[in-house]
Amino acid sequence: MRVFQLESDTKGCRDVILKRHFIPVWNLLPRKMYPTTLTQLARANPFSAPLFTLQQIEEPKRRATAAEPSNRRLAAAAVEDVSCDFGSMKYYALCGFGGILSCGITHTAVVPLDLVKCRLQVDPAKYQSIFKGFSITVKEDGVRGLAKGWAPTFFGYSMQGLCKFGFYEVFKIMYSDLLGEENTYLWRTSLYLAASASAEFFADIALAPMEACKVRIQTQPGYANTLRECGPKMYAEEGLWAFYKGVVPLWMRQIPYTMMKFACFERTVELLYKHVVPKPRGDCTKAEQLVVTFVAGYIAGVFCAIVSHPADSVVSVLNKEKGSTAAQVLQKLGPMGVWKGLTARIIMIGTLTALQWFIYDSVKVYFRLPRPPPPEMPESLKKKLGLSE
């Protein structure tokens, strides 16, 4: 195996060591640096990015300051005429507004399918399949019965969208500044995973009360028909805990879902522009860019549905039954029961995720927000790798 080294012009010492065949960095480090099972699993993470390692000895990396913005921010501002600075408070606020529209509208639009999915999860013997679930619901409650739970869905997922998309932008920029430009590129998938998980943690706290009301309305016939009726009734029976007893399984469902949603979307967009779209993103019209956004969103949605479905089944049953715990529900459902309603969820989440990204990106286009192009290797890293002069 050949080893290349670059000599520093100023100090005459070894500066960078590059492994020619791109050996993963963890194979070069001593075992004692990974003392726990968790970190061992992290090494096997399929999303971990760098296929080669750079070791900088001379100078510590400096964070970009407001007076000295990173190339990524400059690229975001240089693509087109924008209405605000990348990473400004106005930028975050409008991203949060885009999240409200994308999540609130889409989740409310699929309430009928979500209702049937929840009923199939909590009572599979009665509803059996998607089509039978629809027919039984219409027969018992009429067509209007398919809209049960629309109010808590709209308000709950609007708040979730505000936190999810708004905080994702905040954490992505914050973590990127901590890593530096080169490491941001090398570890970009891990960056997407970390930023989306951080954002979803807070988003689920905002969602939990309305999710509890929605499931109670949809899965307990006769309990309540409206949010105004359901909320006070739940509080009178079980107190404040009634609205947050499902937050832990909600984290179990939504955090993996959101990590997959954002990381898969970001990387799919990058791959589509690299291998499928016949011209660079900068040469594409706004409409063509939004089509790519929709396709990447649907692909991400399919994976999201599969990853998060078992926890979704637990949340549905947990919010229906009083006094039960997540462990008890999981034991009751069994390994096969947690997958009931998966087909309906794939259809729902795939379409929903694609529309969410389409609406979110459309809001960015409408308000002329900075929209950085797909990540490219920084010039400084290219020079270290000998890819440019």
Side-chain angles (χ1 to χ4, degrees):
M1 181 178 297
R2 300 175 62 190
V3 178
F4 292 82
Q5 67 181 39
L6 302 179
E7 299 295 329
S8 170
D9 293 333
T10 58
K11 296 186 178 181
C13 63
R14 186 173 301 174
D15 185 24
V16 180
I17 298 177
L18 304 179
K19 291 297 180 180
R20 176 64 173 172
H21 294 290
F22 304 141
I23 298 176
V25 65
W26 46 81
N27 289 347
L28 303 177
L29 298 176
R31 291 282 180 178
K32 63 182 179 181
M33 293 185 67
Y34 300 99
T36 66
T37 302
L38 182 61
T39 50
Q40 290 286 347
L41 290 174
R43 292 192 300 160
N45 172 19
F47 292 106
S48 56
L51 298 178
F52 52 87
T53 178
L54 299 176
Q55 184 176 2
Q56 183 77 29
I57 297 175
E58 279 199 28
E59 299 180 3
K61 296 186 182 298
R62 294 188 306 158
R63 290 178 53 187
T65 62
E68 187 182 356
S70 67
N71 291 341
R72 181 73 170 158
R73 297 193 184 192
L74 291 175
V79 172
E80 56 190 2
D81 180 35
V82 295
S83 61
C84 62
D85 293 332
F86 186 66
S88 65
M89 291 304 297
K90 181 179 179 181
Y91 175 80
Y92 293 137
L94 289 175
C95 286
F97 177 69
I100 291 174
L101 294 182
S102 65
C103 290
I105 292 173
T106 53
H107 277 277
T108 305
V110 296
V111 161
L113 185 59
D114 185 43
L115 180 144
V116 173
K117 182 265 301 178
C118 287
R119 291 184 171 181
L120 184 60
Q121 288 172 329
V122 301
D123 195 355
K126 178 179 179 180
Y127 294 98
Q128 296 180 3
S129 67
I130 300 174
F131 298 106
K132 193 163 185 179
F134 271 106
S135 63
I136 293 174
T137 300
V138 172
K139 183 178 180 180
E140 293 181 348
D141 302 325
V143 176
R144 293 184 63 182
L146 293 173
K148 274 189 174 181
W150 74 268
T153 297
F154 176 75
F155 292 113
Y157 282 94
S158 293
M159 292 304 299
Q160 187 213 33
L162 169 67
C163 298
K164 177 186 291 188
F165 284 90
F167 284 150
Y168 174 70
E169 299 289 350
V170 172
F171 285 116
K172 184 168 70 169
I173 292 174
M174 182 177 71
Y175 294 159
S176 177
D177 287 345
L178 291 173
L179 288 172
E181 187 181 22
E182 293 179 4
N183 285 331
T184 292
Y185 176 79
L186 293 174
W187 295 93
R188 59 193 181 279
T189 305
S190 297
L191 171 67
Y192 304 146
L193 292 169
S196 56
S198 302
E200 188 60 35
F201 177 85
F202 296 100
D204 289 342
I205 296 174
L207 170 64
M210 293 296 102
E211 178 74 2
C213 291
K214 175 187 78 75
V215 173
R216 193 68 64 92
I217 292 171
Q218 291 180 340
T219 60
Q220 286 193 4
Y223 183 83
N225 292 318
T226 64
L227 177 60
R228 287 180 297 177
E229 181 184 356
C230 183
K233 189 173 182 179
M234 289 178 62
Y235 183 77
E237 291 178 351
E238 303 178 60
L240 190 62
W241 176 242
F243 301 105
Y244 287 99
K245 71 177 184 178
V247 72
V248 173
L250 200 58
W251 281 329
M252 293 167 57
R253 181 188 82 183
Q254 288 297 130
I255 289 179
Y257 163 84
T258 301
M259 292 171 71
M260 182 65 70
K261 174 180 179 176
F262 282 86
C264 185
F265 172 80
E266 297 269 21
R267 294 309 297 261
T268 302
V269 167
E270 185 180 339
L271 292 173
L272 287 176
Y273 279 114
K274 186 175 182 180
H275 299 291
V276 178
V277 180
K279 52 186 176 181
R281 178 181 180 273
D283 297 336
C284 296
T285 64
K286 294 289 196 306
E288 290 171 338
Q289 292 178 20
L290 291 175
V291 169
V292 173
T293 296
F294 183 86
V295 172
Y298 207 102
I299 294 171
V302 173
F303 288 101
C304 290
I306 296 171
V307 166
S308 62
H309 189 73
D312 181 66
S313 298
V314 174
V315 170
S316 297
V317 177
L318 188 65
N319 284 318
K320 177 194 173 186
E321 299 179 352
K322 299 178 184 178
S324 57
T325 65
Q328 291 171 341
V329 171
L330 192 60
Q331 186 177 10
K332 177 182 175 181
L333 290 174
M336 296 302 296
V338 295
W339 295 104
K340 290 289 184 181
L342 178 60
T343 303
R345 184 167 170 79
I346 286 176
I347 297 171
M348 182 184 77
I349 296 299
T351 305
L352 183 144
T353 304
L355 289 174
Q356 282 181 358
W357 280 112
F358 183 84
I359 293 171
Y360 181 66
D361 215 25
S362 297
V363 169
K364 282 189 170 183
V365 169
Y366 179 80
F367 287 106
R368 296 185 295 111
L369 297 184
R371 298 166 63 239
E376 294 184 0
M377 184 180 293
E379 287 299 323
S380 60
L381 188 57
K382 289 181 180 179
K383 291 180 179 179
K384 290 180 180 180
L385 294 173
L387 300 177
S388 66
E389 297 181 358

